[in-house]
Amino acid sequence: MTQPDFPTIIEKPANVQDLSATLNWLASQRQSMIDTLATSGAILFRGFPIHTAEDFDAFSAAFGYDDFTYAESLSNAVRINLTPRVFTANEAPPDVEIFLHHEMAQTPIYPQKIFFCCLSAAASGGATPLCRSDLLYQAFKDTHPEWAEQFEKLGVQYTTHMPADDDAASGQGRSWRSTLSVDTKAAAQERLTELGYSWQWQPDDSLQTTTPTLPAVRKLNDGSQSFFNQVIAAYRGWKRSNDSSRPTLSFGNGDAIAKEVLDYVTSLAADFTYPLPWQDGDIALVDNYRVMHGRSPYSGTRPRKVVVCLARDT
């Protein structure tokens, strides 16, 4: 059921031979590509001479979006900066699947755009699934309007566990010090208070936090609605702490979300998902409000290296 032109694929023009020519071409096509993204939700640039994180930095900067850095984000993934704007997508092990989500929708602070760049494709697997959340939500409303209305009216809350130190073996292993950009527990509590979170310190100095009520549905500029959240990722991939009295996911009023609802929307999302198989040098520009993404497990001796740059509209 995925739309035929998703993502929109733009191949390198024959006369574009190096990075300088690429940047000149981008400058001439910038507004057209921004307009395309507004309707498609994702653009794949293929065949361009992008070989390093620095090349990718220059490519993404050509769009003129404002930066959204890893340091300022509340992302719970362990990542490594390669330039001030570019960082690794996730340091989780290759066999860990990262399920569909809108980037940082489990926090009050999130980017509008995501640039992905494949510097090295995995030998096997490692695709990035892309899901049209606007089409998903429309189908959800059409089939189960009462369930969709619950998400729209109640919103959602997320409970996460932040370790005392970074845990690269986990897709959610970023420490509370790094996540909150603090050095002490007192500073962490002050930051959480500003954000409207509740929290509980654990015996090992890790931190359990619960967000304020966050939206589960977002109205887009064209009037459509998007299933903008991390519901599928939280349901399928987040581990609940053994000593936690709270589920990782609930409605905004604290009520549990029925398993049949979560199973249904997870299954429905597959109808609107395209697994993007990477080639070296590929760049994908994704509208984070309209499109969810994930990561499929991968294997082989060739390392998968996909890096990202986050952006906000000017």
Side-chain angles (χ1 to χ4, degrees):
M1 293 173 64
T2 305
Q3 62 169 0
D5 189 27
F6 179 74
T8 298
I9 299 175
I10 297 179
E11 301 272 1
K12 179 186 77 67
N15 62 338
V16 173
Q17 298 298 323
D18 56 22
L19 181 60
S20 177
T22 297
L23 298 180
N24 289 335
W25 177 83
L26 284 173
S28 69
Q29 301 294 316
R30 175 181 176 273
Q31 190 56 54
S32 173
M33 289 182 290
I34 289 174
D35 293 342
T36 297
L37 183 69
T39 56
S40 170
I43 302 174
L44 173 65
F45 298 90
R46 175 155 283 172
F48 288 84
I50 304 299
H51 308 292
T52 67
E54 290 74 19
D55 293 344
F56 174 50
D57 189 308
F59 186 103
S60 57
F63 284 78
Y65 297 126
D66 289 340
D67 294 344
F68 188 107
T69 66
Y70 177 53
E72 72 183 282
S73 77
L74 297 173
S75 169
N76 52 11
V78 177
R79 295 167 167 177
I80 299 171
N81 271 98
L82 304 177
T83 77
R85 300 175 65 252
V86 175
F87 42 88
T88 55
N90 196 304
E91 292 298 298
D95 61 338
V96 173
E97 181 173 0
I98 299 173
F99 296 98
L100 289 171
H101 62 281
H102 286 277
E103 188 70 16
M104 301 180 200
Q106 84 285 15
T107 81
I109 307 169
Y110 32 77
Q112 285 81 43
K113 306 292 189 296
I114 312 170
F115 291 88
F116 296 91
C117 178
C118 178
L119 298 178
S120 175
S124 177
T128 292
L130 299 174
C131 175
R132 281 285 299 263
S133 282
D134 53 343
L135 303 183
L136 164 64
Y137 190 65
Q138 184 60 55
F140 191 32
K141 286 201 300 183
D142 290 345
T143 52
H144 286 285
E146 71 286 3
W147 292 350
E149 185 179 27
Q150 281 185 295
F151 282 106
E152 192 168 342
K153 287 188 173 182
L154 299 177
V156 287
Q157 287 184 313
Y158 307 92
T159 295
T160 60
H161 179 261
M162 301 181 192
D165 300 297
D166 282 352
D167 177 11
S170 169
Q172 299 174 272
R174 191 182 185 189
S175 71
W176 56 263
R177 292 178 175 88
S178 176
T179 303
L180 301 172
S181 299
V182 297
D183 294 320
T184 67
K185 288 185 176 182
Q189 292 176 180
E190 182 177 351
R191 176 70 169 138
L192 291 168
T193 299
E194 293 172 355
L195 294 167
Y197 282 56
S198 59
W199 67 88
Q200 184 175 36
W201 291 103
Q202 305 301 301
D204 61 356
D205 284 340
S206 63
L207 181 62
Q208 178 187 291
T209 67
T210 299
T211 67
T213 299
L214 298 175
V217 179
R218 184 179 185 89
K219 187 173 183 179
L220 304 179
N221 288 338
D222 63 1
S224 63
Q225 293 174 292
S226 174
F227 197 57
F228 181 78
N229 53 61
Q230 290 223 1
V231 165
I232 293 173
Y235 174 54
R236 298 196 64 194
W238 292 13
K239 293 181 180 179
R240 179 175 174 174
S241 176
N242 291 334
D243 53 2
S244 173
S245 60
R246 292 188 59 95
T248 57
L249 176 69
S250 68
F251 282 121
N253 63 357
D255 287 352
I257 305 174
K259 184 178 183 297
E260 65 175 327
V261 176
L262 295 170
D263 285 339
Y264 179 77
V265 76
T266 298
S267 175
L268 185 62
D271 292 340
F272 303 99
T273 299
Y274 170 81
L276 173 60
W278 292 109
Q279 296 180 16
D280 289 1
D282 280 352
I283 291 177
L285 171 56
V286 175
D287 181 344
N288 188 42
Y289 288 168
R290 192 178 295 273
V291 175
M292 285 190 282
H293 69 277
R295 189 194 75 178
S296 299
Y298 60 95
S299 60
T301 57
R302 195 171 194 266
R304 179 190 189 269
K305 189 172 184 180
V306 174
V307 296
V308 300
C309 175
L310 306 180
R312 52 170 59 91
D313 292 337
T314 55

